[in-house]
Coordinates of all heavy atoms in Angstrom, one line a residue:
Y167 N 95.7 -174.4 -152.1 CA 96.3 -175.8 -152.0 C 95.3 -176.8 -152.6 O 95.7 -177.7 -153.4 CB 96.5 -176.2 -150.5 CG 96.8 -177.7 -150.4 CD1 98.0 -178.2 -150.8 CD2 95.8 -178.5 -149.9 CE1 98.2 -179.6 -150.7 CE2 96.1 -179.9 -149.8 CZ 97.3 -180.4 -150.2 OH 97.5 -181.7 -150.1
L168 N 94.0 -176.6 -152.4 CA 93.1 -177.6 -152.9 C 93.0 -177.5 -154.4 O 92.7 -178.5 -155.1 CB 91.7 -177.3 -152.3 CG 91.6 -177.7 -150.8 CD1 90.3 -177.2 -150.2 CD2 91.8 -179.2 -150.5
S169 N 93.3 -176.4 -155.0 CA 93.3 -176.3 -156.5 C 94.6 -176.8 -157.1 O 94.6 -177.4 -158.2 CB 93.0 -174.9 -157.0 OG 93.2 -173.9 -156.2
S170 N 95.7 -176.7 -156.4 CA 97.0 -177.1 -156.9 C 97.5 -178.4 -156.4 O 98.3 -179.1 -157.1 CB 98.0 -176.0 -156.6 OG 98.4 -176.0 -155.2
L171 N 97.1 -178.7 -155.2 CA 97.6 -179.9 -154.4 C 99.1 -179.9 -154.3 O 99.8 -180.9 -154.1 CB 97.2 -181.2 -155.1 CG 95.7 -181.5 -155.1 CD1 95.3 -182.8 -155.7 CD2 95.1 -181.5 -153.6
N172 N 99.7 -178.7 -154.3 CA 101.1 -178.4 -154.1 C 101.3 -178.1 -152.6 O 100.7 -177.2 -152.1 CB 101.6 -177.2 -154.9 CG 103.0 -177.0 -154.8 OD1 103.7 -177.5 -154.0 ND2 103.5 -176.2 -155.7
E173 N 102.1 -178.9 -151.9 CA 102.3 -178.8 -150.5 C 102.8 -177.4 -150.1 O 102.5 -177.0 -149.0 CB 103.3 -179.9 -150.0 CG 102.6 -181.2 -149.9 CD 103.5 -182.3 -149.3 OE1 104.4 -181.9 -148.4 OE2 103.4 -183.4 -149.7
Q174 N 103.5 -176.7 -151.0 CA 103.9 -175.4 -150.7 C 102.8 -174.4 -150.5 O 103.0 -173.3 -150.0 CB 104.9 -174.9 -151.8 CG 106.2 -175.7 -151.8 CD 107.1 -175.2 -152.9 OE1 106.7 -174.8 -153.9 NE2 108.4 -175.3 -152.6
D175 N 101.6 -174.7 -151.0 CA 100.5 -173.9 -150.9 C 99.6 -174.1 -149.7 O 98.7 -173.4 -149.4 CB 99.6 -174.0 -152.2 CG 100.2 -173.6 -153.4 OD1 101.0 -172.6 -153.4 OD2 99.9 -174.1 -154.5
L176 N 100.0 -175.1 -148.9 CA 99.3 -175.3 -147.6 C 99.5 -174.1 -146.7 O 100.6 -173.6 -146.5 CB 99.9 -176.5 -146.9 CG 99.2 -177.9 -147.3 CD1 100.0 -179.0 -146.6 CD2 97.8 -177.9 -146.9
V177 N 98.5 -173.7 -146.0 CA 98.5 -172.6 -145.1 C 98.4 -173.2 -143.7 O 97.5 -174.0 -143.4 CB 97.4 -171.6 -145.4 CG1 97.3 -170.5 -144.4 CG2 97.5 -171.1 -146.8
S178 N 99.2 -172.7 -142.7 CA 99.1 -173.1 -141.4 C 97.9 -172.5 -140.7 O 97.6 -171.3 -140.9 CB 100.3 -172.7 -140.6 OG 100.2 -173.1 -139.3
I179 N 97.0 -173.3 -140.1 CA 95.8 -172.7 -139.4 C 95.9 -173.1 -137.9 O 96.0 -174.3 -137.6 CB 94.6 -173.3 -140.1 CG1 94.5 -172.9 -141.6 CG2 93.3 -172.8 -139.4 CD1 93.4 -173.6 -142.3
K180 N 95.7 -172.2 -137.1 CA 95.6 -172.4 -135.6 C 94.2 -172.6 -135.2 O 93.3 -172.1 -135.8 CB 96.2 -171.3 -134.9 CG 97.7 -171.1 -135.2 CD 98.2 -169.9 -134.4 CE 99.7 -169.6 -134.8 NZ 100.2 -168.4 -134.1
L181 N 94.0 -173.4 -134.1 CA 92.7 -173.5 -133.6 C 92.0 -172.2 -133.3 O 90.8 -172.0 -133.5 CB 92.7 -174.3 -132.3 CG 93.0 -175.8 -132.4 CD1 93.2 -176.4 -131.0 CD2 92.0 -176.5 -133.2
E182 N 92.8 -171.3 -132.8 CA 92.3 -169.9 -132.5 C 91.8 -169.2 -133.7 O 90.8 -168.5 -133.7 CB 93.5 -169.1 -131.9 CG 93.0 -167.7 -131.4 CD 94.1 -166.9 -130.8 OE1 95.2 -167.5 -130.6 OE2 93.9 -165.8 -130.4
D183 N 92.4 -169.4 -134.9 CA 91.9 -168.8 -136.1 C 90.5 -169.3 -136.5 O 89.6 -168.5 -136.8 CB 92.9 -169.2 -137.3 CG 94.3 -168.6 -137.1 OD1 94.4 -167.7 -136.4 OD2 95.2 -169.2 -137.8
A184 N 90.3 -170.6 -136.4 CA 89.0 -171.2 -136.7 C 88.0 -170.7 -135.6 O 86.9 -170.4 -136.0 CB 89.1 -172.7 -136.7
A185 N 88.4 -170.7 -134.4 CA 87.5 -170.3 -133.3 C 87.0 -168.9 -133.5 O 85.8 -168.6 -133.4 CB 88.1 -170.5 -132.0
T186 N 87.9 -168.0 -133.8 CA 87.6 -166.6 -134.0 C 86.7 -166.5 -135.2 O 85.7 -165.8 -135.1 CB 88.9 -165.8 -134.2 OG1 89.7 -165.9 -133.1 CG2 88.6 -164.3 -134.4
E187 N 87.0 -167.1 -136.3 CA 86.2 -167.0 -137.6 C 84.8 -167.5 -137.4 O 83.9 -167.0 -137.9 CB 87.0 -167.7 -138.7 CG 86.2 -167.8 -140.0 CD 86.5 -166.8 -140.9 OE1 87.5 -166.0 -140.7 OE2 85.8 -166.6 -141.9
L188 N 84.7 -168.6 -136.6 CA 83.4 -169.3 -136.5 C 82.7 -168.8 -135.2 O 81.6 -169.3 -134.9 CB 83.6 -170.8 -136.5 CG 84.2 -171.4 -137.8 CD1 84.4 -172.8 -137.6 CD2 83.3 -171.0 -139.0
N189 N 83.3 -167.9 -134.5 CA 82.7 -167.4 -133.2 C 82.4 -168.6 -132.2 O 81.3 -168.7 -131.7 CB 81.5 -166.6 -133.5 CG 81.1 -165.7 -132.4 OD1 81.9 -165.3 -131.6 ND2 79.8 -165.4 -132.2
L190 N 83.4 -169.5 -132.1 CA 83.2 -170.6 -131.2 C 84.4 -170.6 -130.2 O 85.4 -170.0 -130.5 CB 83.2 -171.9 -132.0 CG 82.0 -172.1 -132.9 CD1 82.2 -173.3 -133.8 CD2 80.7 -172.3 -132.1
A191 N 84.3 -171.4 -129.2 CA 85.4 -171.5 -128.2 C 86.5 -172.5 -128.9 O 86.2 -173.4 -129.6 CB 84.9 -172.1 -126.9
I192 N 87.7 -172.2 -128.5 CA 88.8 -173.1 -129.0 C 88.6 -174.5 -128.6 O 88.8 -175.4 -129.4 CB 90.2 -172.6 -128.5 CG1 90.5 -171.2 -129.1 CG2 91.3 -173.6 -128.8 CD1 91.7 -170.6 -128.5
S193 N 88.1 -174.8 -127.4 CA 87.8 -176.1 -127.0 C 86.7 -176.8 -127.8 O 86.8 -178.0 -128.1 CB 87.4 -176.2 -125.5 OG 86.2 -175.4 -125.3
T194 N 85.8 -176.0 -128.3 CA 84.7 -176.6 -129.2 C 85.3 -177.0 -130.5 O 85.0 -178.1 -131.0 CB 83.6 -175.5 -129.5 OG1 83.1 -175.1 -128.2 CG2 82.5 -176.1 -130.4
I195 N 86.2 -176.2 -131.0 CA 86.9 -176.6 -132.3 C 87.8 -177.8 -132.1 O 87.7 -178.8 -132.9 CB 87.8 -175.4 -132.8 CG1 87.0 -174.2 -133.0 CG2 88.6 -175.8 -134.0 CD1 85.9 -174.3 -134.1
S196 N 88.5 -177.9 -131.0 CA 89.3 -179.0 -130.7 C 88.5 -180.3 -130.6 O 88.9 -181.3 -131.1 CB 90.1 -178.7 -129.3 OG 90.9 -179.8 -129.0
R197 N 87.4 -180.2 -129.9 CA 86.6 -181.4 -129.7 C 86.0 -181.9 -131.1 O 85.9 -183.0 -131.4 CB 85.5 -181.2 -128.7 CG 85.9 -181.3 -127.3 CD 84.7 -181.3 -126.3 NE 83.8 -180.2 -126.5 CZ 83.8 -179.0 -126.0 NH1 84.8 -178.7 -125.2 NH2 82.9 -178.1 -126.2
A198 N 85.6 -180.9 -131.9 CA 85.0 -181.2 -133.2 C 85.9 -181.9 -134.1 O 85.5 -182.7 -134.9 CB 84.4 -179.9 -133.8
I199 N 87.2 -181.5 -134.1 CA 88.2 -182.1 -135.0 C 88.9 -183.3 -134.5 O 89.7 -183.9 -135.3 CB 89.1 -181.0 -135.6 CG1 90.0 -180.5 -134.4 CG2 88.4 -179.9 -136.3 CD1 91.1 -179.6 -134.9
K200 N 88.7 -183.6 -133.2 CA 89.5 -184.7 -132.6 C 89.2 -186.0 -133.5 O 88.1 -186.4 -133.7 CB 89.0 -184.9 -131.2 CG 89.8 -186.0 -130.5 CD 89.3 -186.1 -129.0 CE 90.0 -187.1 -128.2 NZ 90.2 -188.4 -128.6
D201 N 90.3 -186.7 -133.9 CA 90.3 -187.9 -134.6 C 89.6 -187.8 -136.0 O 89.0 -188.8 -136.4 CB 89.6 -189.0 -133.8 CG 90.4 -189.3 -132.5 OD1 91.6 -189.2 -132.5 OD2 89.7 -189.6 -131.5

């Protein structure tokens, strides 16, 4: 998406995906991205 800026290339990402990948709690990810 970042190379094309075409909305069809956007990938849905869940909090759980980020938490698993970064080895953090879902609540930590949630607080980090709030606002």
Side-chain angles (χ1 to χ4, degrees):
Y167 168 72
L168 292 171
S169 20
S170 71
L171 295 179
N172 183 347
E173 288 185 29
Q174 293 177 328
D175 293 331
L176 272 173
V177 177
S178 177
I179 301 173
K180 297 179 183 177
L181 290 174
E182 185 178 356
D183 297 337
T186 301
E187 174 94 11
L188 300 175
N189 198 28
L190 295 169
I192 293 173
S193 60
T194 302
I195 301 296
S196 179
R197 284 191 307 273
I199 63 173
K200 184 178 185 306
D201 299 326

